[in-house]
Amino acid sequence: MAHMRVHSGIIRPSLLETVRSHHNDRGSALSVYVDIDMHRWGGADAARIAAKTFFSEERERLHRADIGRTDREIFEEELQQAAQLALEQVGERRTSGLAIFLDSQARLAWAFRLPWPVRNRAFYGPRFVLWPLQQQLALSPRLGLILTDKDDARLFLYHLGELEECLRVEEEIPGKIRFPEPLGELQYMRKHVEAFRHHFARVADEALALYEKEHFEKVILGGLWETLPQFEARLHRYVRDRVIARWDIAVHTPLDQLAERVRREESNYLASLAAEAWKLIQDRRQQRGAVGPEQTFAALWRQSVQTVLLEPGVGYDGYRCTRCRRLHLSSGPCIECGGAMAPVHNILLEAVQDAVEQGAEVFYWKNSELNDADSIAALRRF
């Protein structure tokens, strides 16, 4: 059995491609998505109970499946390992769920933290199933951070709360010194200016190369305030057009301080996107707005949602139709198909799961007007 631990750091496109490209001719690759969100289930113990129930039901499903005894035993052992890891990860920071990929025959194992609600699922086959993971990763922006002064630069990637340094650029720039004759000093200063312009051009090229490789969506620039505009002018348009913030900051600021500041910048950026979505909802309420739970649930059922706004830390019980899957606040017959209702623990998180699976944007946003709308609203595509 392959040793399994939760991946630390950024989930790079190259890593996803490695997982995606794996193929087992015998069809014994296991993909598991498990919900261990304490907020959803009402605490750590309840989350562990829910996870145990899911894995128990999966083992029962395996027993009923039309597969050979050897493959069934392999999958059961892999499920047991996945269950053990899931129970250990309950309560970890920024972990609402896990995506687990196991192929014990090939001695391959990966596990990734999921910061958003995920629906419990297990897939058995020759390849790993990545589309639920890719939906989750798309909910949070991938950011680039570029810090530079006249002779040093550091390039970073940020995603899902993790900041990683990718590259350092260090160059020897002639210092500013005094010459006895003016002409000599002018010639030397010209070399100094040409050197740091060359440095800026090199860093700009490295930034473009990083963008082409890692596909970050937005970028933050930092460095000496007086030279930052000169550096920004050197950036390729693909990178320059993605700038969302500019910092006056030392290039060699410690990583933990940078990570905390990037998290704040990300929060501000997402809040601005949420505010823009709320304005569109208000301005086009009749055509595209859905305000409050019932209007939002109806839009989700019609699969017409583009963006969902949700107040953080809020949740209440509700119901889901057992026939057409529409969400409801009341327990009566479904207003769409007349089907029976089944209770759900946190209907707002159920709505988030539906939105994620439909490819919609989801923003947690604290706002008094959203609170007045019972903590949820949506912008419809149509």
Side-chain angles (χ1 to χ4, degrees):
M1 178 68 70
H3 175 68
M4 181 169 56
R5 57 184 177 83
V6 178
H7 175 77
S8 62
I10 292 176
I11 304 173
R12 304 285 186 88
S14 56
L15 175 57
L16 289 178
E17 178 59 25
T18 298
V19 180
R20 187 201 64 79
S21 62
H22 173 67
H23 184 272
N24 186 316
D25 292 333
R26 290 196 54 182
S28 58
L30 171 66
S31 308
V32 178
Y33 295 86
V34 55
D35 179 1
I36 53 173
D37 188 351
M38 294 194 303
H39 176 64
R40 169 183 170 82
W41 297 110
D45 290 341
R48 290 189 180 94
I49 291 172
K52 289 179 181 178
T53 300
F54 162 64
F55 283 105
S56 176
E57 291 172 348
E58 277 304 310
R59 283 189 286 271
E60 290 297 323
R61 188 159 76 96
L62 267 179
H63 283 209
R64 297 191 301 270
D66 184 20
I67 59 177
R69 177 179 175 181
T70 300
D71 288 337
R72 181 182 294 111
E73 290 175 349
I74 291 172
F75 281 134
E76 286 179 346
E77 186 177 357
E78 291 174 344
L79 277 174
Q80 181 61 35
Q81 189 177 7
Q84 181 180 348
L85 181 67
L87 296 178
E88 292 172 353
Q89 295 301 311
V90 172
E92 292 293 322
R93 291 184 60 195
R94 296 190 292 273
T95 306
S96 292
L98 289 177
I100 302 171
F101 306 98
L102 272 168
D103 185 342
S104 54
Q105 289 183 313
R107 300 189 64 79
L108 293 175
W110 292 278
F112 304 105
R113 300 185 192 281
L114 304 177
W116 297 85
V118 64
R119 211 177 299 284
N120 288 330
R121 284 191 174 97
F123 302 91
Y124 310 89
R127 293 186 180 276
F128 294 126
V129 177
L130 269 70
W131 61 262
L133 173 60
Q134 291 170 321
Q135 287 177 335
Q136 289 257 332
L137 297 179
L139 290 172
S140 299
R142 294 171 64 85
L143 304 179
L145 172 62
I146 306 170
L147 305 181
T148 187
D149 54 23
K150 292 183 178 181
D151 52 3
D152 292 328
R154 299 165 73 193
L155 282 71
F156 303 82
L157 278 178
Y158 173 89
H159 194 214
L160 300 179
E162 300 287 344
L163 181 69
E164 288 186 7
E165 184 170 351
C166 303
L167 180 68
R168 290 194 180 208
V169 179
E170 298 176 342
E171 299 189 72
E172 291 292 334
I173 304 296
K176 293 182 178 181
I177 60 176
R178 304 295 296 179
F179 279 75
E181 70 279 2
L183 180 60
E185 183 168 349
L186 286 173
Q187 291 174 337
Y188 188 83
M189 288 305 300
R190 180 182 177 183
K191 291 182 180 180
H192 175 85
V193 172
E194 288 177 347
F196 79 71
R197 286 179 177 173
H198 170 78
H199 171 70
F200 284 167
R202 181 183 171 192
V203 176
D205 288 343
E206 294 290 359
L208 177 61
L210 184 64
Y211 165 74
E212 291 174 336
K213 180 181 179 182
E214 302 292 350
H215 311 297
F216 51 77
E217 299 162 42
K218 298 296 177 181
V219 66
I220 301 167
L221 302 182
L224 295 174
W225 198 248
E226 60 268 25
T227 60
L228 209 53
Q230 298 176 54
F231 169 66
E232 185 171 350
R234 296 271 180 172
L235 289 171
H236 191 282
R237 181 174 57 84
Y238 289 171
V239 179
R240 188 172 62 247
D241 290 350
R242 287 169 167 76
V243 175
I244 59 170
R246 298 162 183 86
W247 298 349
D248 186 6
I249 191 171
V251 169
H252 297 291
T253 300
L255 185 66
D256 58 341
Q257 296 179 27
L258 291 174
E260 184 58 36
R261 186 163 178 179
V262 175
R263 292 185 191 110
R264 292 198 301 269
E265 201 69 64
E266 178 194 34
S267 178
N268 293 336
Y269 171 65
L270 294 177
S272 70
L273 294 181
E276 290 175 8
W278 178 253
K279 187 176 186 304
L280 282 173
I281 291 170
Q282 297 299 307
D283 292 346
R284 304 180 186 180
R285 186 160 181 171
Q286 295 299 320
Q287 298 82 15
R288 297 179 60 194
V291 179
E294 286 297 359
Q295 290 185 21
T296 302
F297 299 160
L300 286 168
W301 181 75
R302 296 186 183 98
Q303 299 191 12
S304 64
V305 169
Q306 176 178 318
T307 305
V308 171
L309 302 181
L310 184 71
E311 188 175 5
V314 176
Y316 38 82
D317 293 342
Y319 300 86
R320 186 186 287 276
C321 176
T322 57
R323 185 185 301 169
C324 73
R325 307 292 295 166
R326 190 195 191 279
L327 295 170
H328 292 269
L329 289 178
S330 61
S331 60
C334 176
I335 62 174
E336 307 293 350
C337 70
M341 295 292 167
V344 294
H345 289 286
N346 187 326
I347 197 169
L348 296 187
L349 292 185
E350 291 283 331
V352 170
Q353 289 179 340
D354 288 356
V356 171
E357 291 182 354
Q358 293 175 27
E361 298 176 309
V362 180
F363 297 112
Y364 284 108
W365 188 49
K366 195 166 184 62
N367 177 271
S368 59
E369 293 181 83
L370 185 62
N371 180 267
D372 293 340
D374 289 332
S375 306
I376 191 169
L379 179 67
R380 304 196 310 268
R381 291 190 295 269
F382 54 85

